[in-house]
Amino acid sequence: MEEADNKKIIRRYVEEIENTGDLSNIRDFIAEDYVEVYEGERYQMGIKGAIDHVLGVRRVFPDLKLTIENQVSEGDWVVTVYSVTGTFVDKWFDMKPTGEKITFTGVNVDRFRNGKIAEHGGAANLLDPLLKAGVILKKE
């Protein structure tokens, strides 16, 4: 598969799945043995885990809008720089919702196999946006 094709697949996944919450064709994008990497640990998520992730994020930010700012690809890997806006309306990691719209940025790193996302990791810059929205309070 061409590197440009992998970038297009990520763009389509963002537009068709993440930004809409429509999971009807998620199997077109995610490998059956999909893995997420967090803090160096690999977690077998499969398609069900990918579905749960999208549903969870959209529960917290139902008006989620992810915008791809830049992408770089090499071989089976695609790095995507993105920004997100959404209204924080439900509890998330023991943080109470504020009803405030927040914007944050992040980077995703995805590995492809046979035209599908097989591995995903990344990081988001959430501290400052959550402080500004009053979700996290500064100690005086």
Side-chain angles (χ1 to χ4, degrees), residues 8-23:
K8 287 179 187 175
I9 291 169
I10 293 291
R11 285 186 178 278
R12 282 190 53 224
Y13 180 76
V14 166
E15 292 167 9
E16 296 176 26
I17 305 293
E18 291 183 337
N19 282 343
T20 68
D22 178 0
L23 301 167

Side-chain angles (χ1 to χ4, degrees), residues 6-64:
N6 290 342
K7 292 192 315 187
K8 287 179 187 175
I9 291 169
I10 293 291
R11 285 186 178 278
R12 282 190 53 224
Y13 180 76
V14 166
E15 292 167 9
E16 296 176 26
I17 305 293
E18 291 183 337
N19 282 343
T20 68
D22 178 0
L23 301 167
S24 61
N25 65 339
I26 195 168
R27 291 178 184 280
D28 294 346
F29 299 96
I30 302 294
E32 292 287 335
D33 59 348
Y34 171 76
V35 171
E36 288 191 2
V37 179
Y38 178 72
E39 300 277 326
E41 296 290 325
R42 299 174 61 79
Y43 298 91
Q44 288 290 340
M45 305 297 286
I47 291 173
K48 180 174 179 349
I51 289 170
D52 290 346
H53 175 79
V54 171
L55 290 175
V57 171
R58 292 202 58 88
R59 176 184 46 78
V60 175
F61 302 102
D63 58 347
L64 176 96

Side-chain angles (χ1 to χ4, degrees), residues 38-88:
Y38 178 72
E39 300 277 326
E41 296 290 325
R42 299 174 61 79
Y43 298 91
Q44 288 290 340
M45 305 297 286
I47 291 173
K48 180 174 179 349
I51 289 170
D52 290 346
H53 175 79
V54 171
L55 290 175
V57 171
R58 292 202 58 88
R59 176 184 46 78
V60 175
F61 302 102
D63 58 347
L64 176 96
K65 173 70 170 131
L66 191 145
T67 302
I68 293 175
E69 306 293 345
N70 200 358
Q71 289 181 298
V72 177
S73 103
E74 183 173 326
D76 294 338
W77 295 92
V78 176
V79 176
T80 303
V81 178
Y82 62 88
S83 60
V84 173
T85 59
T87 307
F88 186 18

Side-chain angles (χ1 to χ4, degrees), residues 95-108:
M95 292 180 277
K96 294 181 180 171
T98 61
E100 295 285 324
K101 186 172 284 269
I102 67 169
T103 300
F104 60 93
T105 58
V107 176
N108 284 339

